[in-house]
Amino acid sequence: MLHISRLTHRKTVSSLASSSRLLRRWKSSSVQDAVRSLKDGDRIHGYTVKRLVEIPELMTTGVSLEHDKTGAQHCHYAREDSNNTFSVMFRTTPMDDTGVPHILEHTTLCGSQKYPVRDPFFKMINRTLATFMNAMTASDWTVYPFSTQNQKDYENLMSVYLDAVFYPQLRELDFSQEGWRLEHEDPNNSESPIIFKGVVYNEMKGVFSDSVNLFMQAVQNKLLPDHTYGVVSGGDPPAITDLTWKQLKEFHHSHYHPTNSKFVTYGDIPLERHLELINNNYLEKFDRINIDTRVPLQPRWSEPRTAHITCPHDPTGTEKQTTVSANFLLSEITDIFESFTMNIICTLLTDGETSPFYQALLEANIGSDYAPLTGYQDIMKEAVFCVGLRGIHSDDVNKVKDIISVTFDKVISEGFDQKNIDALLHRIELALKHQTGNFGLNMALNMASVWNHDGDPMVALQINNQISQLRQTLADNPTFLQDKVKQYFKDNKHCLVVTMEPDKDYEEGRNKEEAERLERHVSQLTAADRKIILDTGKELLANQMAVEDVNCLPTIHLDEIERKIKSEPVEAINLGGISVQKCAAPTNGVSYLRMISNLASVSDDLKPYVPLFCNVITKMGAGAHDYKSLSQDIDLYTGGLSAGVHVKAHHTEDKTYEQGVTFSSYCLDRNLDRMLGLWTDVFSRPDLKDNDRFLTLVNMTAAEMSSSVVSRGHSFAISHSRAGLTPAGFLQEQFEGLTQLELLNGIVGGEPESVFKVINKMEQISKCLLNKSNLRVAVNAMPESMDATLKSVEGFLSSLPGDAVVSNYLTKDTDYKVKETQTQFERPFSVNYMGKSFLTVPYTHEDFPRLRVLAKLMWAKFLHREIREKGGAYGSGAVCSDGVFSLFSYRDPNSLKTLEVFDEAVKWLCRGDYTHNDVDEAKLSVFQESDKPVTPGNSGMMLFTNGVTDEMRQTMRDQLFQVTKKDITSVALRYLKKGERSNAVSFLGPANQKVQEDQKWKIIKS
Ligand SMILES: [Zn+2]
């Protein structure tokens, strides 16, 4: 489960709208028409319609209703989108640090009346086509959302969710497992010491060992100290052990009640159906209760305050470990226009290379980055603005405070750069139209806080009204934004400066507190208590090992899944000798451009530098622009220009692949020529001469990649294990694996002069790639604007340097020799990330769909249990990709033992120790993954990037339906059984004696 601990949800203005998935623009929607016939006061299934709201910018019609008997609130968003979303939210406002809402969220998912199984979300994975399932706890709400494209599945999931929240079992055993308990270190050994255990208890100990979390928690608690925001809703470990089972049940009784609930339904399922299910199965069984969970306003201070906290000392870091920030309490988030304005102002203050605080704070080179929470925060009843620096010297605290105050003064007297205001409003407009991700889900989550405090979520979604109101206000009063800066930041006394400094004794202090608290508990235990502790410990252990019957949970069956793929309307044309794929789709007035430049002509010694080239080429200067002015124009006219490496194994031929660089961008139709003009500058006159800027970008790239190793260690392990098996795998590892990281670290740690040599390589690469030879292009646009779009693109292509050459884009490496390797990357981690890969077959081979199903089966029925539940690793998995099959583990306390589990898993498959039903469930997971909605901007990309046609996808789908248990066993014997096919192992982890003693292993230290 994801726990949003208070202010961690950083939301910028454009994310208000970033989720738009607008499906139809040119015809009126029958889904919306269906609710438009409703009138205020209409009664439906126990609800009364309160009002209807049109939200044209999101192609949505909203209906708000109230449940008559209980007072439950409901917002329905009718929209032509089959990815329907449901969420139920409760206002959860704790008044102590015991973490009761957080522990309740955990125990709610330990089984309900109708579905008495632990962790129903995990158990549903093989029984649903959900595009999202989760639960989240914030400082004043708890929400349970899901989304799916299948109506029966929707009703199944709604039943599981509603039963969980309204009828959870909340057994005492669940409380002690998820919350806290006293237990013997070894539950079976009454001689071992009694200690504190519990999922949330340990989770929160982990959360507060991270100084970023400590800082964020302190800002919230100390800036709004007088009510629910003054406590730790996730739970502070010293206080968690005060919570009782009875208090937990009482909190559920008063807070998870329909009277305190808010429902969102979204998509194309009729409103009546939602209301009928919710009312008939749950709400009508409840009566209204008398409960007031409203949060009062924070009394305002007459003088600014300061706070000082300490955090763990980082022994590997420098002496610059101090963080300082200034934090201001702003207006109520339910004042929609004021919030919109302040969100704009705070974004202008801190966001992007030309913003006042970026220039004043970050470019002063005092600290490593902005302080946590910097920006506008609107997840509490009143909004907050934070700005500061982390990674500073303790002597520099006052310097940072001075810079902050001087910067506000400067903005108050000079105002904002009009170009930045225009770029921000443009970004909001584009984000409304550019369709990404899961629209309904993002809408429900983005609106959660406003609605939680009884603001109007539908008015908040009418962003065009807010933009025009702002434009009008600015026209009437040109100093409007400056006046607000003065009001909220210069004259506002409710301001808190928080400083955090490392304390070498911090951990010791926490440990001492825990030891004393434990002693207090243990010293009071009677003999009878001790017996209960021993018995409960054994009972919990037995419970965890027991195999549960999950057949009470609803499921989707294979015959309820669509047999036909959704075909994609693409056409291949030729513009001035360059092959172009055009795709007319309802993009809502946005044009998408992708170009792949083949890099087969780049020499082998330059190739490793191509990823770095991609990282810098649109961030340096170009044409008449320096990097700042280029970045400003990119924001003014486009959704960003990006470049990335492209290595794809061929769908049919062995040892064959495409290697290239992808250039991609999108823009509003009216800005197409501006966007193409920026690409012309980048292609024709890239400026790689600014050494300082280049060095900054190299440092950032290396730092980002280094810090991703801990969170993506398994990807690096898999990537390295694939590298010896196929030529595409080899190149992918060079580009995106640990080999690339070593190269970057070499540049960063090398002599300053060697950077010039690297810049020289960038220039050579740009000569090879930035021209129209070996270029192919894809364009997605609205049908009615396609002709104009193509005409502009043709003009742009003809302006590029070089000659259009029609050639074979594929590289075939017939001499490639497979290498079976065993490699450890020795790292100072406490856990391992294991990866093992087997050579298999390409996408169109008949065994490929069998291996895809096998991967899901192997994970769900074997690896998860052995590696996570028994082995104690955080995660594990099996992945079937082009030509290679890989197994991995994630944050794994074991290393060689996990490799044995991999072997056991293969033997288990070869023996056929699973049922036909298990195979069907595995197929369902494959469909769940492959049927994720494709946005209009991404339509046709399987063909453009992978060469996979509609026919190939239909064949794949047909074959997936046909996979049998016998097929699974036979591919396991043919590809995975020991000695059958080449394989390789790579892992990241701490020094390992057994590996060191075994000659077969190669150890790479860093
Ligand atoms: Zn949790």
Side-chain angles (χ1 to χ4, degrees):
M1 294 330 93
L2 171 70
H3 305 294
I4 302 178
S5 76
R6 276 130 312 274
L7 296 160
T8 56
H9 195 87
R10 184 169 174 201
K11 190 161 69 172
T12 59
V13 169
S14 39
S15 81
L16 275 176
S18 67
S19 41
S20 326
R21 271 187 79 242
L22 311 192
L23 299 187
R24 283 186 188 79
R25 173 189 164 94
W26 53 83
K27 72 175 183 194
S28 118
S29 150
S30 60
V31 171
Q32 288 174 260
D33 284 343
V35 295
R36 282 180 181 134
S37 63
L38 294 170
K39 294 183 306 301
D40 297 2
D42 279 358
R43 311 279 297 267
I44 326 168
H45 296 297
Y47 289 82
T48 300
V49 174
K50 282 161 60 186
R51 64 195 201 104
L52 244 71
V53 177
E54 292 292 342
I55 312 164
E57 52 269 68
L58 302 179
M59 296 305 292
T60 302
T61 305
V63 188
S64 68
L65 308 102
E66 182 170 317
H67 187 250
D68 302 330
K69 197 167 165 229
T70 62
Q73 302 293 310
H74 192 117
C75 274
H76 176 69
Y77 299 97
R79 193 153 178 275
E80 205 68 61
D81 184 351
S82 61
N83 195 18
N84 285 275
T85 297
F86 170 91
S87 94
V88 56
M89 171 171 82
F90 303 99
R91 195 191 282 140
T92 43
T93 46
M95 293 305 292
D96 59 38
D97 293 332
T98 58
V100 60
H102 181 189
I103 295 170
L104 180 56
E105 182 218 304
H106 276 248
T107 39
T108 294
L109 298 171
C110 286
S112 64
Q113 221 169 68
K114 206 162 153 191
Y115 308 113
V117 293
R118 249 183 311 123
D119 201 352
F121 288 3
F122 173 73
K123 305 269 161 44
M124 283 298 287
I125 285 174
N126 293 316
R127 308 170 81 86
T128 170
L129 294 166
T131 50
F132 183 87
M133 287 179 80
N134 213 332
M136 297 131 185
T137 309
S139 51
D140 55 10
W141 48 253
T142 308
V143 67
Y144 295 80
F146 72 80
S147 55
T148 175
Q149 300 179 94
N150 176 299
Q151 182 161 351
K152 182 181 170 207
D153 193 33
Y154 183 93
E155 296 183 5
N156 288 346
L157 289 166
M158 188 200 266
S159 172
V160 171
Y161 271 60
L162 290 179
D163 212 63
V165 298
F166 290 124
Y167 296 116
Q169 293 180 316
L170 300 185
R171 298 174 308 166
E172 188 169 12
L173 211 57
D174 302 330
F175 168 70
S176 45
Q177 174 180 294
E178 299 296 322
W180 74 276
R181 65 183 182 278
L182 289 169
E183 191 178 278
H184 289 282
E185 203 169 275
D186 172 0
N188 286 318
N189 179 2
S190 62
E191 299 300 308
S192 65
I194 291 178
I195 56 169
F196 289 125
K197 290 187 185 175
V199 175
V200 170
Y201 185 75
N202 284 320
E203 182 188 335
M204 295 314 293
K205 272 172 73 173
V207 166
F208 289 128
S209 63
D210 180 341
S211 58
V212 170
N213 294 326
L214 281 168
F215 189 81
M216 295 195 295
Q217 187 69 52
V219 169
Q220 179 199 307
N221 291 161
K222 294 175 193 298
L223 187 66
L224 295 101
D226 293 349
H227 194 261
T228 189
Y229 304 123
V231 308
V232 184
S233 69
D236 192 18
I240 289 176
T241 52
D242 291 336
L243 186 70
T244 65
W245 178 42
K246 184 163 168 276
Q247 287 166 338
L248 180 87
K249 287 189 294 182
E250 278 164 3
F251 195 85
H252 175 265
H253 191 72
S254 53
H255 290 77
Y256 280 28
H257 188 280
T259 304
N260 191 44
S261 70
K262 289 185 166 65
F263 290 78
V264 173
T265 51
Y266 160 90
D268 65 1
I269 297 176
L271 171 63
E272 286 74 10
R273 182 67 183 152
H274 297 292
L275 301 181
E276 183 187 359
L277 290 169
I278 299 171
N279 176 64
N280 296 5
N281 296 328
Y282 291 91
L283 295 201
E284 72 169 13
K285 300 182 171 69
F286 290 85
D287 289 312
R288 201 181 283 254
I289 57 167
N290 199 357
I291 175 177
D292 187 356
T293 51
R294 280 175 301 178
V295 181
L297 292 176
Q298 165 66 41
R300 298 287 169 139
W301 303 339
S302 53
E303 284 307 319
R305 295 183 187 178
T306 56
H308 186 266
I309 63 165
T310 57
C311 65
H313 179 258
D314 177 359
T316 61
T318 63
E319 55 177 1
K320 290 167 88 175
Q321 292 191 28
T322 298
T323 303
V324 60
S325 76
N327 307 278
F328 301 84
L329 193 61
L330 312 178
S331 59
E332 283 183 69
I333 60 169
T334 48
D335 183 343
I336 304 296
F337 182 65
E338 194 73 358
S339 300
F340 180 76
T341 305
M342 289 316 293
N343 199 343
I344 296 272
I345 288 174
C346 298
T347 308
L348 287 171
L349 284 169
T350 54
D351 223 31
E353 284 128 348
T354 53
S355 68
F357 278 115
Y358 186 99
Q359 293 180 338
L361 281 176
L362 293 183
E363 291 191 345
N365 283 324
I366 310 170
S368 60
D369 197 357
Y370 276 136
L373 293 174
T374 291
Y376 180 75
Q377 311 292 341
D378 58 358
I379 69 154
M380 294 182 293
K381 186 174 175 118
E382 292 163 274
V384 172
F385 175 71
C386 313
V387 64
L389 279 179
R390 60 192 291 200
I392 64 167
H393 197 282
S394 52
D395 295 343
D396 285 337
V397 167
N398 284 327
K399 199 189 263 180
V400 174
K401 289 201 277 195
D402 290 344
I403 293 176
I404 292 174
S405 136
V406 167
T407 306
F408 281 132
D409 287 341
K410 190 160 175 273
V411 174
I412 291 167
S413 69
E414 294 171 13
F416 292 104
D417 183 345
Q418 186 60 40
K419 255 192 150 182
N420 285 352
I421 300 175
D422 293 341
L424 181 53
L425 292 175
H426 164 262
R427 265 163 56 197
I428 297 171
E429 186 185 358
L430 181 57
L432 276 169
K433 299 191 168 189
H434 168 59
Q435 305 159 41
T436 59
N438 196 323
F439 185 91
L441 175 74
N442 289 330
M443 189 147 99
L445 293 180
N446 281 339
M447 291 301 111
S449 288
V450 165
W451 199 23
N452 191 42
H453 297 291
D454 303 317
D456 191 327
M458 298 195 191
V459 171
L461 286 166
Q462 291 170 318
I463 291 168
N464 283 347
N465 286 352
Q466 296 162 50
I467 294 179
S468 40
Q469 193 181 341
L470 181 66
R471 285 193 196 277
Q472 187 57 50
T473 312
L474 284 173
D476 295 344
N477 173 11
T479 63
F480 175 66
L481 297 179
Q482 286 143 274
D483 297 348
K484 288 285 168 197
V485 172
K486 181 166 182 298
Q487 175 192 342
Y488 282 108
F489 304 122
K490 184 86 182 165
D491 303 338
N492 183 357
K493 299 290 182 219
H494 202 105
C495 164
L496 174 76
V497 173
V498 179
T499 321
M500 179 172 75
E501 280 179 301
D503 171 6
K504 289 201 167 73
D505 301 326
Y506 185 88
E507 290 291 352
E508 204 188 306
R510 291 278 296 195
N511 292 340
K512 191 161 163 262
E513 183 281 326
E514 187 182 50
E516 286 167 5
R517 179 161 38 92
L518 183 65
E519 174 55 30
R520 277 201 307 279
H521 276 86
V522 173
S523 63
Q524 290 168 10
L525 294 175
T526 63
D529 293 337
R530 285 177 179 269
K531 180 160 187 331
I532 293 173
I533 285 172
L534 189 64
D535 292 347
T536 312
K538 286 180 182 168
E539 192 185 348
L540 264 175
L541 205 60
N543 236 21
Q544 283 161 0
M545 291 299 164
V547 180
E548 287 183 302
D549 181 10
V550 295
N551 285 322
C552 60
L553 289 169
T555 185
I556 281 288
H557 298 283
L558 284 174
D559 55 16
E560 290 160 326
I561 292 179
E562 178 59 49
R563 294 255 156 186
K564 287 267 168 286
I565 58 152
K566 288 197 180 93
S567 66
E568 300 190 322
V570 296
E571 191 184 328
I573 57 169
N574 186 301
L575 294 179
I578 294 173
S579 104
V580 175
Q581 171 181 306
K582 68 169 189 173
C583 177
T587 60
N588 204 28
V590 180
S591 297
Y592 295 82
L593 174 75
R594 274 100 167 180
M595 304 175 278
I596 296 179
S597 181
N598 198 283
L599 59 78
S601 65
V602 174
S603 65
D604 283 347
D605 61 316
L606 283 178
K607 244 178 222 173
Y609 295 87
V610 169
L612 185 57
F613 167 82
C614 294
N615 264 303
V616 305
I617 193 63
T618 61
K619 300 191 188 84
M620 303 285 285
H625 296 286
D626 63 8
Y627 77 89
K628 285 189 177 171
S629 117
L630 184 67
S631 133
Q632 215 167 28
D633 272 23
I634 287 175
D635 276 350
L636 263 174
Y637 304 118
T638 79
L641 304 187
S642 64
V645 288
H646 166 87
V647 181
K648 294 285 175 194
H650 191 253
H651 49 69
T652 305
E653 301 285 325
D654 278 332
K655 298 182 181 175
T656 306
Y657 60 103
E658 183 180 22
Q659 48 177 323
V661 166
T662 310
F663 301 94
S664 55
S665 64
Y666 60 90
C667 64
L668 297 168
D669 287 348
R670 67 165 191 263
N671 291 328
L672 181 63
D673 288 329
R674 296 276 200 170
M675 179 174 89
L676 296 171
L678 291 170
W679 277 124
T680 305
D681 285 342
V682 169
F683 268 67
S684 314
R685 290 193 291 149
D687 176 9
L688 294 157
K689 294 272 183 299
D690 184 343
N691 295 335
D692 287 345
R693 176 66 177 164
F694 181 75
L695 208 55
T696 306
L697 291 172
V698 176
N699 281 327
M700 277 167 56
T701 308
E704 254 166 55
M705 197 166 181
S706 286
S707 66
S708 75
V709 173
V710 175
S711 58
R712 298 198 304 115
H714 62 306
S715 319
F716 288 102
I718 294 174
S719 173
H720 191 264
S721 71
R722 282 175 187 162
L725 301 180
T726 68
F730 176 76
L731 199 55
Q732 278 161 348
E733 207 282 328
Q734 276 215 320
F735 282 176
E736 292 166 330
L738 291 167
T739 308
Q740 178 66 211
L741 181 57
E742 307 240 309
L743 178 95
L744 288 173
N745 284 338
I747 301 172
V748 172
E751 296 293 310
E753 303 81 62
S754 66
V755 172
F756 298 118
K757 288 188 191 146
V758 180
I759 293 183
N760 183 266
K761 291 182 200 291
M762 295 295 118
E763 279 166 350
Q764 292 179 52
I765 293 170
S766 69
K767 286 200 183 75
C768 291
L769 292 179
L770 299 179
N771 59 62
K772 64 181 141 186
S773 326
N774 301 318
L775 194 68
R776 57 193 193 85
V777 177
V779 174
N780 287 27
M782 301 285 286
E784 58 267 38
S785 52
M786 185 55 95
D787 285 350
T789 303
L790 290 177
K791 202 149 184 267
S792 292
V793 170
E794 184 169 21
F796 157 70
L797 292 173
S798 73
S799 78
L800 293 183
D803 301 308
V805 184
V806 181
S807 67
N808 183 7
Y809 299 109
L810 297 174
T811 306
K812 196 168 174 72
D813 194 351
T814 37
D815 300 332
Y816 188 81
K817 293 271 180 304
V818 171
K819 287 184 277 299
E820 292 198 313
T821 54
Q822 287 183 209
T823 312
Q824 180 193 0
F825 290 86
E826 212 178 280
R827 299 265 160 168
F829 301 155
S830 56
V831 287
N832 299 282
Y833 301 84
M834 311 300 296
K836 179 171 187 175
S837 294
F838 302 80
L839 188 61
T840 59
V841 288
Y843 183 88
T844 55
H845 191 284
E846 59 179 0
D847 284 338
F848 193 81
R850 296 167 179 158
L851 287 161
R852 282 179 78 179
V853 178
L854 178 147
K856 297 290 179 192
L857 175 79
M858 190 180 195
W859 174 72
K861 301 293 167 186
F862 197 94
L863 297 177
H864 182 80
R865 183 183 68 228
E866 297 299 321
I867 295 178
R868 185 180 153 117
E869 293 181 351
K870 290 190 190 161
Y874 196 84
S876 66
V879 198
C880 178
S881 57
D882 288 326
V884 184
F885 184 93
S886 308
L887 300 170
F888 68 87
S889 71
Y890 182 71
R891 290 198 207 153
D892 189 349
N894 300 306
S895 53
L896 300 184
K897 197 174 147 213
T898 294
L899 294 180
E900 287 168 21
V901 174
F902 290 162
D903 291 343
E904 288 304 315
V906 171
K907 287 183 197 156
W908 169 82
L909 284 164
C910 294
R911 284 199 305 273
D913 268 356
Y914 47 89
T915 65
H916 294 289
N917 192 42
D918 294 340
V919 176
D920 283 353
E921 286 189 358
K923 286 188 204 177
L924 201 69
S925 321
V926 175
F927 289 122
Q928 183 191 105
E929 194 175 75
S930 67
D931 290 358
K932 289 251 154 79
V934 176
T935 58
N938 280 326
S939 188
M941 283 304 111
M942 272 291 271
L943 179 62
F944 183 66
T945 58
N946 297 26
V948 171
T949 63
D950 280 359
E951 291 73 32
M952 291 177 195
R953 288 197 296 127
Q954 185 62 55
T955 307
M956 167 66 72
R957 197 166 184 86
D958 295 341
Q959 288 172 338
L960 282 169
F961 276 106
Q962 288 158 13
V963 172
T964 62
K965 188 182 160 190
K966 208 170 128 219
D967 292 335
I968 303 270
T969 312
S970 81
V971 290
L973 287 165
R974 233 169 312 144
Y975 298 99
L976 308 181
K977 195 180 153 215
K978 222 173 190 156
E980 287 300 319
R981 302 280 284 200
S982 301
N983 64 68
V985 181
S986 305
F987 80 96
L988 284 64
N992 188 313
Q993 203 186 341
K994 281 190 181 151
V995 169
Q996 285 160 359
E997 285 164 0
D998 185 342
Q999 293 298 312
K1000 288 202 289 293
W1001 286 96
K1002 180 182 175 192
I1003 299 172
I1004 299 175
K1005 298 185 186 188
S1006 66

